[in-house]
Amino acid sequence: MRDVWFLSREERPCVNYKCGLLNTIQDVLRQRPGWTEVKEEGEWDFNWCDVAWLRENFDNTYMEEHVRICHFRNHYELTRKNFMVKNLKRYRKHLEREAGRSEAARCDFFPQTFELPGEYHLFVEEFKRSAGSTWIMKPVARSQGKGIFLFRKLKDITDWKKVRHVCLQDGTRSEEQKNDVHVESYVAQRYIENPYLISGRKFDLRVYVMVTSYIPLKAWLYRDGFARFSNTRFSLSSIDDQYVHLTNVAVQKTAPDYDPEKGCKWQIQQLRRYLTAKHSRETVETLFKEIDNIFIRSLLSVQKVIINDKHCFELYGYDILLDDCLKPWLIEVNASPSLTASSQEDYEMKCRVLEDTLHVVDMEARLTGREKRVGGYDLMWNDGPVFREDAGPETLSSSCFTANTHLGCVNDRKRQLRQMFKPLPGHKRI
């Protein structure tokens, strides 16, 4: 284990954990001092489960006061593409009603989106008004780029809709097949045709946000993250080429010329340095404040619909795209961000995220509850904005409030953790 703690072996609490995933999180849990894995029917204090397990078991599971689990019951209000947009649209309307159009405009960070088939006719009207534009179709509940395609002709959507209709009406299909088709809703989203390019290639950002409570809202932002690059130079003349338009690692690693040693990722610190050198520090500071705004507004948009539970926390993987004007766009939020590493550097970064996630969850009860930083996590919202120590008395209604966030900055987590978990008098560091 990389980190060291102040409790002696005799005093260290034992945490029984259950883990349904076989990747980096399993390694982190096994290395954590005092934590023991339990088998299928064993009683657990901590459960890192997948969303399928949650859906099948959460409502039938009794949890004692100290128990923690890694998802909120209806996490999908933010992490399903159609629900995310629905909640953001509702929140934007609420802001316009209560605070005016300028405040509502702070939520204009997601592309124009329609849910299909429900909003098909609304989509067609908008499609005809913007002839020649490129759109992207995405299944609402799939990941890793599966089922996504770009289109410019209404015929492509019409054919897709007819196939769906035939499948739903086909009485020869089994009930399971009908259900599979029925839940496969899509969103049609206006494609960002002018992405910011580096060496001619498109990229997006994967950023980690942790929520430990929705009522009151308490959210943490991790300093590390990464940019995922496409393997092929960007061009709108080849909208059928997934290697050009989809940055998902699951897609890019199947490219014929993909180099597993080189990979297709930059650490977010490297990206921030690049942007600062090319533009200016002030420009990049503004950009990252606008990214902070995306995190806060999106969480507030679901605060009243998420079923809050003191046993639950969530590690979200936010996907952010930059356009060539350095405007950030929210593409989607993942409830189960990939924890499988694509390189040694990626593995070490994900280990840091997961170790510090466990520090924030604090099964060992070492925190006071007043911390503004734990390892690589900075507390950015605690029933209201959390400001940096040097920030003035700004408010959320400011055009860009200065949150206590340091995305892409130095992550000196080991020093901070050593300072925070100093040995108590008479105790030796293990």
Side-chain angles (χ1 to χ4, degrees), residues 171-398:
T172 63
R173 297 177 65 86
S174 69
E175 282 301 313
E176 183 178 355
Q177 288 173 319
K178 287 182 183 178
N179 289 337
D180 286 345
V181 173
H182 181 67
V183 299
E184 187 78 313
S185 296
Y186 276 66
V187 292
Q189 196 169 69
R190 191 181 291 276
Y191 187 62
I192 307 297
E193 296 180 317
N194 60 325
Y196 190 100
L197 305 178
I198 295 180
S199 298
R201 289 168 172 80
K202 178 183 173 180
F203 66 93
D204 68 0
L205 308 181
R206 167 58 59 84
V207 184
Y208 298 99
V209 173
M210 182 182 181
V211 174
T212 52
S213 169
Y214 269 99
I215 302 176
L217 179 61
K218 190 168 186 178
W220 304 74
L221 176 63
Y222 205 71
R223 296 188 174 203
D224 293 350
F226 52 87
R228 304 179 298 186
F229 286 82
S230 62
N231 205 53
T232 307
R233 294 177 70 86
F234 182 79
S235 170
L236 284 173
S237 62
S238 53
I239 64 171
D240 295 327
D241 191 340
Q242 286 193 318
Y243 301 129
V244 172
H245 300 284
L246 303 186
T247 61
N248 310 69
V249 175
V251 172
Q252 293 299 322
K253 69 182 181 182
T254 64
D257 55 347
Y258 176 76
D259 183 350
E261 292 298 320
K262 186 178 179 182
C264 53
K265 292 181 180 178
W266 276 11
Q267 292 299 306
I268 206 160
Q269 286 85 351
Q270 182 180 357
L271 176 68
R272 185 160 186 161
R273 288 194 299 269
Y274 174 91
L275 294 174
T276 301
K278 187 166 184 180
H279 301 280
S280 69
R281 180 178 177 180
E282 292 74 18
T283 299
V284 175
E285 284 283 350
T286 299
L287 165 63
F288 276 77
K289 286 179 183 179
E290 290 176 352
I291 294 175
D292 291 342
N293 176 69
I294 291 177
F295 303 141
I296 297 300
R297 304 282 184 173
S298 60
L299 294 174
L300 289 173
S301 76
V302 297
Q303 183 184 19
K304 293 182 179 178
V305 295
I306 293 285
I307 301 170
N308 193 59
D309 190 317
K310 62 186 176 184
H311 300 101
C312 303
F313 69 94
E314 196 89 44
L315 176 61
Y316 293 112
Y318 272 74
D319 292 344
I320 307 289
L321 178 72
L322 307 183
D323 67 20
D324 58 11
C325 297
L326 284 181
K327 173 182 171 62
W329 296 88
L330 174 60
I331 303 303
E332 64 180 284
V333 184
N334 298 274
S336 300
S338 173
L339 302 177
T340 301
S342 58
S343 67
Q344 183 60 32
E345 183 182 46
D346 193 44
Y347 176 79
E348 292 172 0
M349 187 274 292
K350 287 176 177 174
C351 281
R352 293 194 296 270
V353 173
L354 293 170
E355 287 169 4
D356 290 343
T357 298
L358 299 183
H359 297 333
V360 172
V361 173
D362 193 29
M363 294 298 294
E364 298 89 346
R366 292 173 297 201
L367 303 181
T368 66
R370 298 187 299 273
E371 290 82 3
K372 291 175 68 173
R373 182 182 176 190
V374 176
Y377 276 109
D378 295 292
L379 182 63
M380 65 175 171
W381 194 269
N382 189 15
D383 201 20
V386 179
F387 302 113
R388 297 182 188 178
E389 298 297 337
D390 57 349
E394 298 164 288
T395 65
L396 179 60
S397 60
S398 302

